[in-house]
Amino acid sequence: FVGSSYLYTRPRDMAKFGYFFLNDGMWEGKRILPEGWVKYSTTVAPAYYTTELSKEDIEDGPYGALWWLNRAVPEKNVPRPLPDAPEDTFSAQGHWGQFIYVIPSLDLVVAYTGDNREKVFSSNTLLKLIIDSIKQ
C-alpha cells in the first residue's frame, strides 16, 4: 500500500472518499479529520508559487495537499484546468486517468475509472455535461 497511489478500490468507495471530503472530513456526524484540514488541503500549496513549472504542471493546474485544484494562478500564468467546472472543484487523479472530482458548490462527487492512457477523454467535457444535466 502506498498512500499517494495504488489504491485498489471500487468506484463506490472512491465516491465515498470524495463525499468524506465534501463533508469537511465528517462521517456519519463524527469528525474524522481535524477541523480546517479540508480547507488547508484544497488551498494552493505555497511551494507551487516558488517552483518552476513545466508545461504539464501548467496544464494540470495547481496542487494542494494531495488534491489537484481547479484554480487559476495568475502570478504563474496558470489558467483554471477545468474552465467549465466551478472554481471550488478539486480532484484526486489516478494512474491512467481515474479520478474523483469533488464540487462543493454543487454538493457533487464524480468518480471515474476509465482508462485514459491515450489522453482522448476530456474531464472538462464530462463535468460540463454532468453540471448542465443537474442544473436543468
Side-chain angles (χ1 to χ4, degrees):
F1 177 80
V2 179
S4 66
S5 54
Y6 301 105
L7 299 176
Y8 298 100
T9 186
R10 301 172 301 175
R12 180 184 192 116
D13 294 324
M14 292 167 63
K16 286 179 181 179
F17 186 71
Y19 183 79
F20 174 61
F21 270 79
L22 178 70
N23 287 285
D24 193 35
M26 301 278 291
W27 192 261
E28 296 182 350
K30 182 179 177 187
R31 176 153 297 284
I32 307 297
L33 294 177
E35 194 166 341
W37 175 256
V38 172
K39 182 178 180 184
Y40 167 79
S41 66
T42 58
T43 300
V44 179
Y48 189 83
Y49 295 98
T50 59
T51 301
E52 186 174 330
L53 303 177
S54 69
K55 181 181 179 217
E56 186 176 86
D57 292 330
I58 292 169
E59 290 171 358
D60 289 341
Y63 200 62
L66 297 178
W67 291 98
W68 293 99
L69 311 175
N70 191 34
R71 301 218 176 44
V73 182
E75 307 91 320
K76 302 286 279 184
N77 294 317
V78 175
R80 278 193 2 220
L82 302 164
D84 293 314
E87 187 176 32
D88 67 339
T89 302
F90 58 96
S91 63
Q93 298 182 20
H95 192 61
W96 292 341
Q98 298 82 23
F99 61 71
I100 303 166
Y101 281 106
V102 180
I103 309 176
S105 60
L106 298 177
D107 196 32
L108 179 67
V109 173
V110 177
Y112 175 83
T113 59
D115 183 336
N116 192 28
R117 280 179 266 192
E118 304 299 322
K119 299 195 183 229
V120 295
F121 175 82
S122 168
S123 293
N124 185 65
T125 300
L126 175 68
L127 291 174
K128 180 181 181 348
L129 291 169
I130 292 170
I131 291 165
D132 288 349
S133 74
I134 64 173
K135 285 187 172 182
Q136 293 183 17

